[in-house]
Amino acid sequence: MKKITHNPGSIVFSLFLAALMLAPGFTNKLTALPPEDLPKPSTLQVDWQKLETIAFIHFSVNTFTDSEWGYGNESPELFDPTQLDCRQWVKICKDAGLKGVILTAKHHDGFCLWPSKYTGHSVKNSPWKHGEGDVVREFSDACKELGLKIGLYLSPWDCNHAEYGKPGYNEYFKSQLRELLTNYGEIFEIWFDGANGGRGYYGTDSLHVRKIPGDYYDWDGIGKIVKELQPNCIIHGGALAEIRWVGNEEGYAGETHWSMFRPWDQLDKNISSRIQMNTGHEDGSFWLPSETDVSVRPGWYYHASEDHQVKSLPQLMDIYYESVGRNSLLLLNLSPDKRGLIHPLDSARVLAWREELDRDFEKNLVNDSCRFSSGNGTHARDAFDSNFDSYWQASGNFGQLEVDFGKEQEINRLLLQEFIPEGQKVRSFAADYWNGSGWKEFQKGTTIGYKRILRFQAVKATKMRIRIEDALAPPMISTVEVYHAPILPVPPGITREQHGLVRIISPDKDADVYYTTDGSVPSQTAKKYAGPFMMDGKVTIKAVMISSSGAQGEMAEKQFVFSKADWRVGGETVEITKLLDGNQATSWFGGGDQKEVVIDFGKPLSFSGISMLPDQSRHPKGIPLNYAVLISNDGKTWEKVVSGEFQNIMNNPNWRKIMFFQPVNSRFLKFEATSLVNGQKQLGLAELELTD
Ligand code: FUL
């Protein structure tokens, strides 16, 4: 049995590894290795992980064709940003605390954002700057000016190139790689996307399907070029990857998250590889830390129709805590629009996100006035000094660290770091606080790795201790910090189902929700939300998040006017309830070419308007464009109340309110789409409500 050396950053290791992966009969016996032989990261991998949050920019012809994957036959003439400003992108990234930026120099459609010598399918044949422009140049200059690291994405899959799938393309790909790695300064990360062949134009006049095996590419040659031209550049993707995908594009790493990984042919056949990437392997034989790539919008590229789906502040906070806070690195995508600028909604959101993170970690409550001790091992103080390079090492595969705050402290965040240059070791740990009379466990966890951050309901502690219960080798703890993060500055969400079941959703997991139903302003003396409750008919619900220390968030207020309990939607099926269920994520769709929906209220109601929300799915269907609202008292003879057009609804499929000229009294309501977006024939609606 050969032992694996642990310097995966080197090309030698990578070549060895690739050979090893192909070697028949190789089995992973890592658990038999002594602790000092646990896989260790290269300096490059440690420095990369310390960046913690970096940015992705997806911008190309797809931006102009409103698509996510092009076919490769798009004319370069389509690429024509009117106000392209890479400095704006990079400045936003910098202000959002992102330390490097990776630009899609070439996506799967093959269009090059730089004037490559090797193809005409690039900016040089676009109207932008009369073909004289170079986006990669402007982008890299902006990064240099503003002090951010430059990263590039170069898609191996190329739907435009005639030789794709044949040996010639490999040479073309390497030539392009050389161009990019030679002409734009120091590149910190190169991204080779795993998406690999499929429907494309491939230099002919029709579409073809090319399915390409991963070993088609000359990974050895590619790796050599990267390490020769950019020795400090880390590789994402391909057989020579030095970092791994986290297994999803939703932005979360597994709660248990090892930076170690098994050779690809040693994965557990009974568990999906995505899950294994999401958790890593405790017995993994090489160091392959994860990168969590996720977009601020549903798509990677800009689509005006997703302007209302920019991730919320609570969603972005969850993404941070579930990536960086779980031993991964966060790669957050921004999508410049057709102008070549990042939309103000996106920039405002990512800046608010960073401000919120800064607030969460403003003041470490471990300071010089605290006293430190450990049950075993070296100086405890080294774990509490916020210096990554000094660490406490236990004398066995378990240990205990204690901090005495000297006074009562309220805490709701715990940040731990292992000294990963010597490997990742902790398998399980727990945290206790001293409540004045005894120790009380308040958190439990599995892995720590480079960074683990736990969020929890605030506790008041005079002392705290961390118990490392189990580890692969004597643990080395670099950092223990505690914080008291403020409440998230957003209101809770209030929804009501058709039969009156009210839900209040707290976006801040650390806070309780208090609510009133009598119009008064809720405080800590109001009812504490303990789960969904029945409250039908006319009611105003006000709710607020309050932390245990009394800090309050913004108040939410929702007025419900009509009970929907007796409402019936034409054609009684389960589907119809989706129109009235108060859940914006589910939609009702008409049958066949049905463009209208009829609601029977069960009795005549007086109302002065309606509100409707179109289908909210990623690719919404059945969005009404022109409409008519009709009323009836017998469900047979109809009277038109109002008709009109929803402006810009395709790009902004949000709540739309239709007010009548005067209130009506009616038992039946018909909402008819006289035309639908994109000429569709079947109406789809997420919600419909009456205005009194
Ligand atoms: C995926 C690609 O197919 C997407 O278009 C996007 O670039 C994402 C980051 O990686 O594999």
Side-chain angles (χ1 to χ4, degrees):
M1 173 61 55
K2 280 178 186 161
K3 258 197 199 170
I4 299 174
T5 58
H6 303 300
N7 180 20
S10 80
I11 187 79
V12 178
F13 172 83
S14 300
L15 292 170
F16 171 53
L17 184 69
L20 200 62
M21 280 163 58
L22 298 174
F26 173 77
T27 53
N28 172 24
K29 286 268 169 62
L30 181 83
T31 39
L33 296 175
E36 60 272 23
D37 281 351
L38 282 174
K40 298 185 183 57
S42 63
T43 311
L44 188 62
Q45 287 169 316
V46 175
D47 290 346
W48 172 83
Q49 185 130 21
K50 284 182 177 170
L51 298 174
E52 298 194 0
T53 53
I54 59 175
F56 227 162
I57 299 272
H58 275 69
F59 182 64
S60 187
V61 164
N62 289 340
T63 312
F64 298 86
T65 55
D66 207 10
S67 58
E68 284 286 307
W69 280 10
Y71 289 117
N73 58 350
E74 297 81 10
S75 164
E77 305 241 327
L78 292 167
F79 185 84
D80 194 14
T82 47
Q83 299 173 51
L84 182 101
D85 183 359
C86 297
R87 205 178 173 282
Q88 187 243 16
W89 311 347
V90 178
K91 177 82 173 63
I92 290 166
C93 294
K94 184 178 172 128
D95 292 346
L98 304 163
K99 303 284 186 254
V101 196
I102 302 175
L103 170 68
T104 51
K106 181 185 84 165
H107 205 249
H108 311 324
D109 56 82
F111 182 80
C112 300
L113 291 185
W114 79 103
S116 172
K117 272 206 304 235
Y118 304 97
T119 178
H121 199 57
S122 82
V123 280
K124 74 182 169 206
N125 283 315
S126 79
W128 178 64
K129 295 202 165 171
H130 309 290
E132 301 295 318
D134 180 345
V135 184
V136 179
R137 168 82 51 225
E138 295 190 14
F139 161 75
S140 54
D141 284 351
C143 289
K144 285 176 204 160
E145 182 199 328
L146 295 167
L148 265 68
K149 292 182 177 293
I150 308 164
L152 294 171
Y153 168 116
L154 184 68
S155 171
W157 177 21
D158 188 322
C159 294
N160 175 267
H161 202 271
E163 295 285 298
Y164 180 70
K166 301 177 192 149
Y169 174 76
N170 267 320
E171 294 315 307
Y172 169 76
F173 185 76
K174 286 187 283 185
S175 303
Q176 290 202 318
L177 183 61
R178 281 189 176 279
E179 279 186 320
L180 287 175
L181 298 184
T182 308
N183 297 330
Y184 299 97
E186 181 155 1
I187 308 299
F188 85 104
E189 180 169 341
I190 183 90
W191 233 80
F192 300 127
D193 200 316
N196 209 6
R199 207 159 163 75
Y201 166 73
Y202 305 116
T204 66
D205 54 6
S206 58
L207 289 172
H208 299 277
V209 176
R210 293 194 182 176
K211 289 270 180 227
I212 302 297
D215 61 5
Y216 156 67
Y217 303 103
D218 176 16
W219 291 121
D220 290 353
I222 291 167
K224 270 189 196 133
I225 292 172
V226 175
K227 294 300 165 185
E228 171 206 322
L229 297 174
Q230 298 277 351
N232 296 323
C233 177
I234 205 156
I235 303 176
H236 174 285
L240 301 179
E242 293 162 305
I243 52 183
R244 71 177 197 262
W245 184 44
V246 79
N248 64 68
E249 292 181 347
E250 276 95 60
Y252 65 92
E255 274 200 75
T256 295
H257 201 73
W258 296 98
S259 291
M260 291 94 87
F261 212 67
R262 295 184 194 157
W264 294 99
D265 62 349
Q266 302 292 316
L267 299 198
D268 189 330
K269 297 200 171 45
N270 300 314
I271 302 176
S272 96
S273 59
R274 282 172 173 241
I275 290 178
Q276 296 184 64
M277 287 188 258
N278 200 241
T279 58
H281 298 120
E282 175 183 324
D283 62 354
S285 52
F286 63 109
W287 192 269
L288 200 67
S290 80
E291 185 178 64
T292 301
D293 61 326
V294 59
S295 186
V296 167
R297 290 168 169 258
W300 294 99
Y301 285 93
Y302 177 82
H303 309 291
S305 59
E306 292 179 351
D307 281 354
H308 68 301
Q309 286 173 318
V310 175
K311 289 196 170 61
S312 66
L313 180 61
Q315 282 175 311
L316 288 179
M317 294 302 283
D318 284 350
I319 285 173
Y320 175 84
Y321 280 106
E322 292 172 9
S323 57
V324 177
R326 291 183 178 172
N327 185 33
S328 187
L329 175 140
L330 174 58
L331 171 56
L332 188 63
N333 181 65
L334 290 160
S335 325
D337 60 20
K338 287 185 186 176
R339 298 168 306 165
L341 295 175
I342 291 171
H343 195 284
L345 282 171
D346 306 42
S347 51
R349 194 57 52 77
V350 293
L351 296 179
W353 167 73
R354 179 54 64 178
E355 277 170 22
E356 204 49 36
L357 284 174
D358 289 346
R359 274 197 281 273
D360 279 11
F361 299 102
E362 194 176 328
K363 189 166 172 228
N364 177 15
L365 299 170
V366 172
N367 53 40
D368 283 345
S369 59
C370 300
R371 288 210 316 272
F372 311 105
S373 57
S374 73
N376 59 342
T378 59
H379 295 300
R381 176 171 285 275
D382 290 334
F384 293 97
D385 62 1
S386 293
N387 174 3
F388 181 74
D389 295 319
S390 71
Y391 52 86
W392 161 81
Q393 181 171 16
S395 49
N397 289 4
F398 56 88
Q400 186 170 306
L401 277 168
E402 196 176 309
V403 51
D404 183 342
F405 299 116
K407 59 176 178 190
E408 189 175 86
Q409 293 284 19
E410 185 155 11
I411 57 174
N412 60 8
R413 300 284 186 278
L414 171 63
L415 184 155
L416 302 169
Q417 289 190 286
E418 279 187 76
F419 186 68
I420 54 154
E422 292 299 326
Q424 184 183 352
K425 297 159 186 168
V426 176
R427 299 181 74 213
S428 73
F429 67 93
D432 309 320
Y433 72 99
W434 183 262
N435 65 3
S437 52
W439 288 110
K440 212 169 166 334
E441 184 179 290
F442 65 99
Q443 283 292 290
K444 262 187 115 38
T446 51
T447 51
I448 296 177
Y450 167 71
K451 194 170 259 190
R452 182 75 196 266
I453 313 174
L454 298 165
R455 290 185 285 181
F456 46 92
Q457 285 257 346
V459 293
K460 289 186 180 140
T462 51
K463 295 193 276 185
M464 181 191 73
R465 69 179 183 197
I466 311 294
R467 279 179 287 120
I468 310 289
E469 296 173 319
D470 192 12
L472 298 175
M476 295 170 170
I477 303 297
S478 250
T479 313
V480 179
E481 293 175 353
V482 289
Y483 296 89
H484 186 213
I487 206 157
L488 269 180
V490 290
I494 306 173
T495 64
R496 185 165 88 175
E497 286 183 5
Q498 184 185 2
H499 296 283
L501 193 68
V502 175
R503 283 198 169 78
I504 309 183
I505 296 124
S506 166
D508 193 317
K509 295 174 182 65
D510 310 334
D512 290 318
V513 171
Y514 293 83
Y515 69 96
T516 61
T517 55
D518 60 1
S520 62
V521 173
S523 66
Q524 245 160 338
T525 54
K527 271 197 198 116
K528 188 166 162 179
Y529 179 72
F533 58 91
M534 284 302 291
M535 179 73 53
D536 205 9
K538 186 165 179 163
V539 64
T540 298
I541 298 177
K542 295 183 181 173
V544 69
M545 297 187 296
I546 305 181
S547 74
S548 51
S549 61
Q552 299 206 0
E554 284 171 37
M555 189 180 76
E557 178 172 346
K558 178 99 186 171
Q559 197 186 32
F560 298 99
V561 180
F562 298 96
S563 164
K564 294 179 179 174
D566 297 327
W567 292 15
R568 296 283 170 266
V569 182
E572 293 281 337
T573 64
V574 183
E575 284 291 297
I576 58 156
T577 60
K578 294 185 177 163
L579 184 62
L580 308 174
D581 63 1
N583 181 355
Q584 306 192 359
T586 61
S587 296
W588 160 90
F589 291 100
D593 286 352
Q594 190 181 334
K595 290 200 184 72
E596 62 189 34
V597 61
V598 174
I599 303 178
D600 175 0
F601 303 128
K603 60 179 184 224
L605 295 178
S606 291
F607 54 103
S608 51
I610 67 165
S611 298
M612 70 95 210
L613 181 73
D615 177 28
Q616 294 295 296
S617 51
R618 170 94 191 270
H619 301 291
K621 286 185 301 196
I623 302 180
L625 185 58
N626 289 88
Y627 63 85
V629 179
L630 301 96
I631 52 171
S632 163
N633 269 318
D634 57 9
K636 293 185 188 111
T637 23
W638 293 94
E639 180 194 337
K640 182 157 34 160
V641 188
V642 67
S643 61
E645 179 188 336
F646 295 122
Q647 302 212 327
N648 195 31
I649 195 160
M650 180 173 169
N651 292 333
N652 192 10
N654 246 330
W655 277 103
R656 298 298 170 116
K657 200 168 195 163
I658 304 168
M659 293 307 289
F660 307 155
F661 297 110
Q662 58 192 41
V664 298
N665 188 280
S666 156
R667 176 175 159 172
F668 293 88
L669 171 89
K670 187 189 283 189
F671 175 80
E672 188 181 325
T674 41
S675 74
L676 293 152
V677 164
N678 291 335
Q680 288 179 358
K681 304 230 158 8
Q682 186 188 22
L683 177 64
L685 292 177
E687 295 298 311
L688 194 144
E689 289 185 355
L690 298 187
T691 310
D692 68 346

